[in-house]
Amino acid sequence: MAIDTPGDTGRAGPGRSATTPAGPFDSALRARAAAVVPGGMYGHQSARSLPAAFPQFMARGEGCHVWDVDGNAYVDLMCSYGPIILGHRHPVVEAAAARQAALADCSNGPAEVMVELAELLVATVADADWAMFAKNGTDATTACVTIARAGTGRRKVLVAKGAYHGAAPWCTPVRAGVVADDRAHLVRYRYNDVDSLTEAVAACAGDLAAVVVSPFRHDARFDQELVDPAFASAVRAACDATGAALVVDDVRAGFRLASGGSWEPLGIRADLSAWSKAIANGHALAAVTGADHWRDAASSVYVTGSFWFSAVAMAAAVATIGELAAVDGVGRMRRAGTRLCDGLAAQAAAHGVEVRVSGPPQMPFMTFAGDEGFAMADLWSGTAAAGGAYLHPWHNWFVSAAHTDDDIDRALLATDDGFAAVRRAFG
């Protein structure tokens, strides 16, 4: 299908609104998919729960812009739900991937680049003494839990209420197909609540294998909450006292908040960390890093996959990590995200709409006061999408190092239309 896409304007087609479907090609593909894909689409990228203006199918990306199959252009503030950290089709990353692809990708054993990437992670991540690789975030978090249980000989795992750590039976937020035994040894605590953590540790009665924690609370449909340093210290102290592993799930935030791990600025060292999403700028890769104390346990478990050692994604990861350091990627994302957050707050105030902008600026989110059913968020984000800014109504957003002031300002043109629509509809 030939797609006639506009230039890099970051604006969607004229005449669209929050309730106008993305276009005829998208509608046709949805109908075809419904016949051959369960539910037409599944998982976190399903557009069925999003406003009509959001497309289901995308055609291409360049820098911080994406185009859907009908040629509508968007300033991309979801970054493929996190994997794009330098921008779509980044030339340095794609050149490295192409060089490796010309040699080998999936082979009988890993390429030299696996060792190079492991060495780079150990040199970059503050609490990493070793690294191993997989393909997605669920692989990494599940491997961390398995290693912790192998190293301690214990069963119980602490997780925060409402936190997302992947789609395996032990952690998936949807219970279809999950049996009670899959979660028999999970114990929940409240994020940033030291008393709740202490109670959860005590409930494990000497059977605690790991405490799994996100760098900050980024539960879907809720305001985000930065970690209280006192809470992070309490998690570290609890693990030290019990011999359990402190597992930092850095799948979503890794390399966006700090180059050496999201809790590096706090001075808190993880025992095991899970990585994926942005580690290879869109190429499929995940990693587990760990401290020396857990090396033997990591060596003892059997975790593997036919595509886990593919060399192209590893070459992309080496290039991604190097480029992030070369261009001060964290600083760029922080500045762009701050411009976005400040702009949204100013627009909301100008329109007399009460909002809360939360989370770190590299991964911000916004909620409307009293919007329990997300009707205001749907109207706002749908209007913004129709105007050329791709922001999710109830999932946190992502800023990349490719976003410039001009890109953020273009997105703010669309979000201002969204605030106006909310003001008209809800007073």
Side-chain angles (χ1 to χ4, degrees):
M1 176 179 64
I3 300 171
D4 182 19
T5 57
D8 289 344
T9 63
R11 299 286 284 173
R16 294 181 62 208
S17 71
T19 57
T20 303
F25 286 125
D26 190 74
S27 296
L29 281 173
R30 292 193 197 210
R32 288 169 57 190
V36 293
V37 177
M41 180 56 184
Y42 51 91
H44 68 287
Q45 290 194 356
S46 174
R48 285 180 296 171
S49 62
L50 297 178
F54 282 84
Q56 179 62 83
F57 294 94
M58 310 304 295
R60 67 184 182 95
E62 187 77 30
C64 67
H65 296 87
V66 290
W67 287 261
D68 66 29
V69 292
D70 286 281
N72 296 307
Y74 308 85
V75 177
D76 183 10
L77 287 160
M78 288 304 295
C79 295
S80 307
Y81 287 78
I84 302 301
I85 194 168
L86 289 170
H88 295 274
R89 298 175 61 208
H90 190 276
V92 173
V93 176
E94 295 311 305
R99 286 194 298 271
Q100 182 58 52
L103 300 173
D105 184 20
C106 184
S107 193
N108 293 343
E112 178 183 352
V113 71
M114 187 185 87
V115 180
E116 181 184 356
L117 176 56
E119 290 171 339
L120 179 58
L121 285 171
V122 169
T124 303
V125 177
D127 46 32
D129 293 314
W130 51 263
M132 54 197 302
F133 302 101
K135 271 299 169 198
N136 58 62
T138 300
D139 296 335
T141 56
T142 301
C144 285
V145 168
T146 304
I147 292 167
R149 284 173 166 160
T152 60
R154 304 171 189 167
R155 301 172 297 173
K156 304 296 184 185
V157 175
L158 268 57
V159 295
K161 296 178 180 178
Y164 179 79
H165 296 296
W170 74 271
C171 58
T172 177
V174 178
R175 299 299 181 93
V178 176
V179 299
D181 289 352
D182 292 325
R183 297 163 183 262
H185 298 296
L186 290 186
V187 180
R188 301 191 183 277
Y189 62 90
R190 289 185 298 277
Y191 197 88
N192 266 347
D193 187 328
V194 174
D195 290 340
S196 173
L197 174 73
T198 301
E199 292 171 4
V201 171
C204 293
D207 196 22
L208 180 61
V211 179
V212 183
V213 63
S214 300
F216 66 98
R217 191 173 69 84
H218 44 58
D219 307 348
R221 297 181 173 84
F222 292 94
D223 292 331
Q224 300 188 113
E225 183 180 349
L226 299 181
V227 68
D228 182 344
F231 174 77
S233 295
V235 176
R236 180 67 271 173
C239 291
D240 290 341
T242 60
L246 194 171
V247 177
V248 173
D249 179 355
D250 229 342
V251 167
R252 193 180 301 191
F255 291 107
R256 273 196 161 84
L257 305 191
S259 60
S262 293
W263 275 9
E264 177 193 16
L266 301 179
I268 302 296
R269 297 179 69 87
D271 295 306
L272 302 166
S273 295
W275 307 80
S276 190
K277 287 198 182 285
I279 194 172
N281 198 53
H283 290 264
L285 187 68
V288 173
T289 58
D292 261 331
H293 177 73
W294 300 92
R295 187 188 298 265
D296 289 345
S299 299
S300 73
V301 302
Y302 188 75
V303 290
T304 192
S306 296
F307 303 102
W308 282 18
F309 309 103
S310 297
V312 169
M314 294 182 183
V318 170
T320 297
I321 295 169
E323 189 69 7
L324 283 169
V327 303
D328 184 22
V330 171
R332 283 191 181 188
M333 288 181 281
R334 187 185 299 115
R335 288 190 293 274
T338 299
R339 188 179 187 89
L340 174 66
C341 293
D342 290 347
L344 293 175
Q347 288 178 346
H351 286 280
V353 177
E354 185 178 351
V355 301
R356 174 176 168 80
V357 180
S358 63
Q362 302 96 310
M363 296 172 58
F365 184 51
M366 186 185 74
T367 55
F368 290 81
D371 190 25
E372 294 183 4
F374 286 87
M376 286 185 278
D378 280 348
L379 177 59
W380 177 80
S381 63
T383 303
Y390 199 112
L391 300 117
H392 202 284
W394 44 262
H395 188 292
N396 76 270
W397 316 322
F398 298 87
V399 174
S400 78
H403 284 92
T404 65
D405 288 353
D406 185 56
D407 296 315
I408 297 301
D409 291 345
R410 288 178 178 180
L412 288 170
L413 290 174
T415 59
D416 194 56
D417 292 341
F419 283 116
V422 169
R423 181 66 178 180
R424 287 193 300 269
F426 294 94

